[in-house]
């Protein structure tokens, strides 16, 4: 019987050990050289960067209540109309309703020509009678940013332009004051017989209560004012009105746009 030969494991390891080590190194290097497959979801989310513009509602808090992320909306109200002729001149031949409408249409046309992106809402565009509350409803339903009511004054004596706003009984009227002041300044630059100032409430009422305001100021939800564009009973004011109709319209438009620009109410592109 032959003698069994003992395996010398030390020699086996000495011969095959380095070989196994080389194989292991080669396998690891091949693994690292393979192209990596990106995670589909991660790649999709990082390959496109979307830049979202800041919402317009985040503008400063000094904007009118109804100012939102959209084009400006201005409501122009031509006072009186239809069977309500308003004041007349001394000869009873010239009616306030006609002057109011002529100026309102000129303001509308000036806005459309210079700032077509501004939406203009008219309470009337023809010689028709519109109830006072309906005028307010038109502006409120349109969610207008500003309401401007156009009128002419009347008295046995007197001349000049005055602008009426709510008294403080209805709350903070700072925006009404700003609107009126800007318009008055621009009208004054065109030329008026007299600057009668910004008035609150309505004529001949000294009590500062909510009921003592012009309806179109009191029941509109946005900053508003009522402009008395001179006296129908003043020959001088009638001449100013006729000679400067388009210039007055441009002044009202410029006043509103300058106010919005100064107070950062709307994007710069809107005001160019």
């Amino acid at each position: 019987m032959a003698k069994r030969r003992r395996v010398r494991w030390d020699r086996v390891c000495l011969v095959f050990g380095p070989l196994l080590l080389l194989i292991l190194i080669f396998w690891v290097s091949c693994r690292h050289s393979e192209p990596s497959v990106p995670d589909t979801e991660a790649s999709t989310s990082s390959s496109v960067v979307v830049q979202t513009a800041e919402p317009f509602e985040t503008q400063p808090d000094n904007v009118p209540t109804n100012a939102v992320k959209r084009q400006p909306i201005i409501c122009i109200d031509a006072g009186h109309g239809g069977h309500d002729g308003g004041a007349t001149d001394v000869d009873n031949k010239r009616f306030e309703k006609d002057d109011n409408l002529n100026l309102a249409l000129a303001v509308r046309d000036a806005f459309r020509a210079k700032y077509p992106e501004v939406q203009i809402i008219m309470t009337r565009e023809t010689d028709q009678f519109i109830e006072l509350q309906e005028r307010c409803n038109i502006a409120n339903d349109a969610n207008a940013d500003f309401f401007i009511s156009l009128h002419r004054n009347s008295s046995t004596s007197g001349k000049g332009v005055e602008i009426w706003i709510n008294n403080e009984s209805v709350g903070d009227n700072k925006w009404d004051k700003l609107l009126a002041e800007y318009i008055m300044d621009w009208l004054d630059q065109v030329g008026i017989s007299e600057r009668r100032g910004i008035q609150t409430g309505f004529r001949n009422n000294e009590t500062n209560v909510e009921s003592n305001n012009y309806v179109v100021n009191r029941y509109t939800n946005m900053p508003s004012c009522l402009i008395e564009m001179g006296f129908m009973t003043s020959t001088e004011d009638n001449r100013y009105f006729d000679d400067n109709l388009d210039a007055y319209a441009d002044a009202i438009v410029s006043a509103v746009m300058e106010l919005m620009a100064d107070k950062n109410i709307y994007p710069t592109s809107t005001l160019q």
Side-chain angles (χ1 to χ4, degrees), residues 78-82 84-87 96-97 100 124 128-130 135 151:
H80 305 283
D84 178 12
E96 179 189 357
K97 67 174 184 176
N100 296 340
R124 70 180 180 98
Q128 64 181 128
F129 175 75
I130 306 292
R135 297 169 189 265
H151 287 257

Side-chain angles (χ1 to χ4, degrees), residues 11 15 26 29 43 50 88 96 104 145 149 190 213 220:
R11 293 183 178 180
V15 174
F26 178 76
S29 64
S43 176
V50 179
T88 62
E96 179 189 357
D145 298 299
S149 187
V190 173
N213 289 290
T220 46

Side-chain angles (χ1 to χ4, degrees), residues 101-115:
L101 181 59
N102 289 336
L103 181 56
L105 294 175
V107 172
R108 179 202 64 185
D109 293 344
F111 264 116
R112 289 178 177 176
K114 295 183 176 182
Y115 303 98

